[in-house]
mmCIF file of all heavy atoms in Angstrom:
data_model
loop_
_atom_site.group_PDB
_atom_site.id
_atom_site.type_symbol
_atom_site.label_atom_id
_atom_site.label_comp_id
_atom_site.label_asym_id
_atom_site.label_seq_id
_atom_site.Cartn_x
_atom_site.Cartn_y
_atom_site.Cartn_z
ATOM 1 N N LYS L 12 137.954 105.426 110.657
ATOM 2 C CA LYS L 12 137.265 104.692 111.722
ATOM 3 C C LYS L 12 135.894 104.255 111.243
ATOM 4 O O LYS L 12 135.279 104.906 110.414
ATOM 5 C CB LYS L 12 137.045 105.596 112.925
ATOM 6 C CG LYS L 12 138.265 105.985 113.683
ATOM 7 C CD LYS L 12 137.789 106.810 114.859
ATOM 8 C CE LYS L 12 138.889 107.525 115.541
ATOM 9 N NZ LYS L 12 138.416 108.428 116.566
ATOM 10 N N SER L 13 135.412 103.167 111.810
ATOM 11 C CA SER L 13 134.044 102.787 111.473
ATOM 12 C C SER L 13 133.090 103.779 112.134
ATOM 13 O O SER L 13 133.355 104.315 113.204
ATOM 14 C CB SER L 13 133.744 101.364 111.948
ATOM 15 O OG SER L 13 133.757 101.319 113.356
ATOM 16 N N ILE L 14 132.019 104.036 111.476
ATOM 17 C CA ILE L 14 131.034 104.990 111.981
ATOM 18 C C ILE L 14 130.010 104.222 112.809
ATOM 19 O O ILE L 14 129.498 103.204 112.400
ATOM 20 C CB ILE L 14 130.326 105.708 110.808
ATOM 21 C CG1 ILE L 14 131.347 106.370 109.892
ATOM 22 C CG2 ILE L 14 129.325 106.709 111.303
ATOM 23 C CD1 ILE L 14 132.162 107.452 110.534
ATOM 24 N N ILE L 15 129.736 104.733 113.986
ATOM 25 C CA ILE L 15 128.851 104.063 114.928
ATOM 26 C C ILE L 15 127.557 104.842 115.038
ATOM 27 O O ILE L 15 127.566 106.052 115.180
ATOM 28 C CB ILE L 15 129.510 103.979 116.317
ATOM 29 C CG1 ILE L 15 130.855 103.265 116.207
ATOM 30 C CG2 ILE L 15 128.604 103.278 117.306
ATOM 31 C CD1 ILE L 15 131.705 103.384 117.434
ATOM 32 N N ILE L 93 127.221 110.479 113.836
ATOM 33 C CA ILE L 93 128.630 110.369 114.214
ATOM 34 C C ILE L 93 129.489 110.597 112.968
ATOM 35 O O ILE L 93 129.358 109.883 111.967
ATOM 36 C CB ILE L 93 128.954 108.973 114.798
ATOM 37 C CG1 ILE L 93 127.962 108.571 115.891
ATOM 38 C CG2 ILE L 93 130.400 108.923 115.270
ATOM 39 C CD1 ILE L 93 128.026 109.385 117.129
ATOM 40 N N LEU L 94 130.363 111.607 113.025
ATOM 41 C CA LEU L 94 131.270 111.916 111.927
ATOM 42 C C LEU L 94 132.689 112.028 112.463
ATOM 43 O O LEU L 94 132.881 112.183 113.664
ATOM 44 C CB LEU L 94 130.873 113.242 111.259
ATOM 45 C CG LEU L 94 129.443 113.353 110.721
ATOM 46 C CD1 LEU L 94 129.183 114.770 110.217
ATOM 47 C CD2 LEU L 94 129.187 112.333 109.614
ATOM 48 N N GLU L 95 133.662 111.969 111.564
ATOM 49 C CA GLU L 95 135.053 112.151 111.964
ATOM 50 C C GLU L 95 135.487 113.589 111.711
ATOM 51 O O GLU L 95 134.990 114.243 110.782
ATOM 52 C CB GLU L 95 135.957 111.196 111.192
ATOM 53 C CG GLU L 95 135.773 109.752 111.582
ATOM 54 C CD GLU L 95 136.764 108.835 110.902
ATOM 55 O OE1 GLU L 95 137.796 109.321 110.405
ATOM 56 O OE2 GLU L 95 136.494 107.629 110.859
ATOM 57 N N GLU L 96 136.402 114.075 112.537
ATOM 58 C CA GLU L 96 136.892 115.437 112.369
ATOM 59 C C GLU L 96 137.696 115.571 111.079
ATOM 60 O O GLU L 96 138.211 114.585 110.557
ATOM 61 C CB GLU L 96 137.729 115.870 113.573
ATOM 62 C CG GLU L 96 139.026 115.124 113.741
ATOM 63 C CD GLU L 96 139.819 115.609 114.949
ATOM 64 O OE1 GLU L 96 139.507 116.670 115.508
ATOM 65 O OE2 GLU L 96 140.764 114.893 115.328
ATOM 66 N N SER L 97 137.748 116.797 110.570
ATOM 67 C CA SER L 97 138.525 117.133 109.368
ATOM 68 C C SER L 97 138.218 116.195 108.204
ATOM 69 O O SER L 97 139.113 115.690 107.536
ATOM 70 C CB SER L 97 140.024 117.117 109.677
ATOM 71 O OG SER L 97 140.316 118.017 110.722
ATOM 72 N N GLY L 162 135.171 120.204 110.978
ATOM 73 C CA GLY L 162 136.405 120.802 111.482
ATOM 74 C C GLY L 162 136.907 119.965 112.642
ATOM 75 O O GLY L 162 137.032 118.751 112.539
ATOM 76 N N GLY L 163 137.139 120.634 113.770
ATOM 77 C CA GLY L 163 137.617 119.948 114.964
ATOM 78 C C GLY L 163 136.536 119.121 115.624
ATOM 79 O O GLY L 163 135.353 119.225 115.304
ATOM 80 N N HIS L 164 136.956 118.270 116.568
ATOM 81 C CA HIS L 164 136.001 117.401 117.245
ATOM 82 C C HIS L 164 135.127 118.226 118.188
ATOM 83 O O HIS L 164 135.488 119.316 118.613
ATOM 84 C CB HIS L 164 136.714 116.282 117.996
ATOM 85 C CG HIS L 164 137.474 116.746 119.203
ATOM 86 N ND1 HIS L 164 138.715 117.318 119.113
ATOM 87 C CD2 HIS L 164 137.144 116.733 120.522
ATOM 88 C CE1 HIS L 164 139.140 117.633 120.328
ATOM 89 N NE2 HIS L 164 138.205 117.294 121.195
ATOM 90 N N GLY L 165 133.963 117.682 118.471
ATOM 91 C CA GLY L 165 133.020 118.348 119.371
ATOM 92 C C GLY L 165 131.591 117.961 119.049
ATOM 93 O O GLY L 165 131.342 117.013 118.289
ATOM 94 N N ASP L 198 127.934 114.307 116.612
ATOM 95 C CA ASP L 198 129.155 114.112 117.397
ATOM 96 C C ASP L 198 130.320 113.980 116.415
ATOM 97 O O ASP L 198 130.365 113.036 115.610
ATOM 98 C CB ASP L 198 129.026 112.861 118.258
ATOM 99 C CG ASP L 198 130.193 112.676 119.209
ATOM 100 O OD1 ASP L 198 130.944 113.654 119.419
ATOM 101 O OD2 ASP L 198 130.365 111.563 119.729
ATOM 102 N N ILE L 199 131.231 114.950 116.437
ATOM 103 C CA ILE L 199 132.405 114.916 115.571
ATOM 104 C C ILE L 199 133.562 114.357 116.397
ATOM 105 O O ILE L 199 133.987 114.971 117.382
ATOM 106 C CB ILE L 199 132.738 116.321 115.029
ATOM 107 C CG1 ILE L 199 131.537 116.864 114.244
ATOM 108 C CG2 ILE L 199 133.970 116.256 114.142
ATOM 109 C CD1 ILE L 199 131.697 118.310 113.808
ATOM 110 N N GLU L 200 134.035 113.179 116.004
ATOM 111 C CA GLU L 200 135.033 112.442 116.794
ATOM 112 C C GLU L 200 136.445 112.619 116.238
ATOM 113 O O GLU L 200 136.625 112.954 115.071
ATOM 114 C CB GLU L 200 134.677 110.957 116.818
ATOM 115 C CG GLU L 200 133.328 110.666 117.454
ATOM 116 C CD GLU L 200 133.055 109.174 117.521
ATOM 117 O OE1 GLU L 200 133.597 108.408 116.694
ATOM 118 O OE2 GLU L 200 132.292 108.775 118.409
ATOM 119 N N HIS L 201 137.454 112.312 117.113
ATOM 120 C CA HIS L 201 138.867 112.314 116.685
ATOM 121 C C HIS L 201 139.061 111.261 115.633
ATOM 122 O O HIS L 201 138.564 110.203 115.671
ATOM 123 C CB HIS L 201 139.788 111.975 117.868
ATOM 124 C CG HIS L 201 139.937 113.091 118.845
ATOM 125 N ND1 HIS L 201 140.556 114.269 118.559
ATOM 126 C CD2 HIS L 201 139.530 113.173 120.149
ATOM 127 C CE1 HIS L 201 140.555 115.039 119.635
ATOM 128 N NE2 HIS L 201 139.923 114.402 120.605
#
Side-chain angles (χ1 to χ4, degrees):
K12 291 183 193 173
S13 67
I14 305 297
I15 303 168
I93 310 293
L94 303 175
E95 291 185 18
E96 67 179 346
S97 302
H164 70 280
D198 186 16
I199 301 173
E200 299 183 334
H201 286 293

